Amino acid sequence: PMPPEHWTDVRAKYTPEQLEHLTHDWVSKSADEGTLLPQDAPPPCDPASLNSEQRCVFEKLMAHRRAQIVSETSGTPPPSPLRLTVYGLGGTGKSHVLNCFKQAIDAEADRANAVAPPGSARAARSDRLVKVMAPSASAAVGVGGSTIHSTQGLSLPTTDRHGDLKSEVVEYKSGSEGLKKLQQKNRGAEYYFFDECGMIGAQTLALINSRMNQAHVGQSKDTTFGDKSVILFGHFAQLPPINDPTIYNSPYGKKRLS
């Protein structure tokens, strides 16, 4: 295999503008152009089919969503955002729980919209409320989502010649086209699901936090993940992050992650 220094040298040949273009992966580009083959809709999910652990996660998600609805309709303070890590190897039903949650959101929205007075605000469905992302294109397709880097406008993590990780996130300026696109893409989202969380490194997680703050409050500090719910799916004993320290074992010492 090629040594890491080889890829650092290759990357140095590209300008920041070229790198930004390259980070728009084939899956996301094809999805935008409508050239991907349509995926079959997930089968109807019956919450009664969930096992005890899956049901625990599903009920926690639904309890939070119902508390949000009460807040929206009564004007009371909203519930604190969820911070969940759902451990499980492939085939343990994490995607099944996610599909049940999305279908339950849509069912409740449809019931509310059916009796809503004409001209009133429509209850939001899962395509607006839920964002599903993964570190790689193949993982993103598997959960019906998109890649983290394309959705959040991130460049791929790199190291300098000394092996130190470099942060290359672009801080969008107020009123810029980049900020407008980011906020438009994330408008209305309340739940962010990240699959294959073991492949998300500490630096990438810090950049996600910065981007979500920009997307929802227009700045990159003073809040955590834009005050939105973040749910990590996966297992930290599977594939590690690429060119990024793990979340649970940072070599930075006293150095900041962002």
Side-chain angles (χ1 to χ4, degrees):
M2 291 290 186
E5 294 78 11
H6 168 79
W7 299 112
T8 302
D9 292 338
V10 170
R11 194 179 193 282
K13 298 177 182 180
Y14 293 91
T15 66
E17 291 75 17
Q18 290 172 322
L19 291 172
E20 180 70 18
H21 176 72
L22 290 172
T23 58
H24 292 282
D25 58 86
W26 175 84
V27 171
S28 298
K29 183 175 183 293
S30 298
D32 291 339
E33 295 174 350
T35 55
L36 282 177
L37 293 176
Q39 292 182 294
D40 294 333
C45 175
D46 180 4
S49 67
L50 301 174
N51 63 33
S52 59
E53 293 180 327
Q54 294 169 340
R55 180 178 291 275
C56 178
V57 177
F58 173 76
E59 290 180 350
K60 186 178 287 289
L61 291 168
M62 287 306 301
H64 187 272
R65 178 56 193 150
R66 290 180 180 125
Q68 273 193 333
I69 294 173
V70 170
S71 171
E72 293 166 358
T73 55
S74 65
T76 56
S80 298
L82 289 172
R83 300 285 183 261
L84 294 179
T85 301
V86 182
Y87 262 23
L89 300 175
T92 54
K94 300 183 298 295
S95 297
H96 184 50
V97 174
L98 173 58
N99 288 331
C100 282
F101 178 54
K102 293 168 67 175
Q103 291 180 23
I105 287 177
D106 292 341
E108 292 200 354
D110 291 344
R111 285 193 294 269
N113 292 333
V115 298
S120 61
R122 307 286 289 177
R125 292 172 56 85
S126 63
D127 56 354
R128 176 185 175 188
L129 291 170
V130 178
K131 290 286 185 184
V132 183
M133 286 168 277
S136 67
S138 58
V141 170
V143 292
S146 58
T147 62
I148 294 170
H149 290 80
S150 63
T151 302
Q152 300 296 338
L154 302 178
S155 297
L156 298 176
T158 60
T159 57
D160 59 23
R161 293 181 179 275
H162 302 290
D164 293 326
L165 200 66
K166 297 190 297 183
S167 170
E168 298 190 8
V169 65
V170 177
E171 187 80 6
Y172 291 133
K173 295 181 180 179
S174 178
S176 67
E177 285 301 314
L179 181 60
K180 291 178 182 177
K181 290 180 180 178
L182 179 71
Q183 292 176 336
Q184 176 64 35
K185 189 178 291 186
N186 289 272
R187 182 166 295 141
E190 293 290 340
Y191 299 92
Y192 286 78
F193 289 82
F194 295 92
D195 196 28
E196 301 292 352
C197 64
M199 294 180 65
I200 302 174
Q203 181 69 20
T204 300
L205 188 65
L207 299 182
I208 291 171
N209 174 65
S210 176
R211 274 291 189 256
M212 288 179 63
N213 285 336
Q214 289 180 285
H216 293 286
V217 297
Q219 59 187 17
S220 61
K221 299 177 181 179
D222 300 328
T223 58
T224 304
F225 298 114
D227 282 335
K228 304 302 177 183
S229 292
V230 171
I231 301 95
L232 303 181
F233 276 1
H235 201 291
F236 290 112
Q238 292 183 286
L239 292 175
I242 299 174
N243 204 20
D244 199 351
T246 58
I247 294 173
Y248 55 85
N249 185 22
S250 172
Y252 284 95
K254 295 182 179 180
K255 293 176 66 175
R256 294 173 60 87
L257 292 180
S258 60

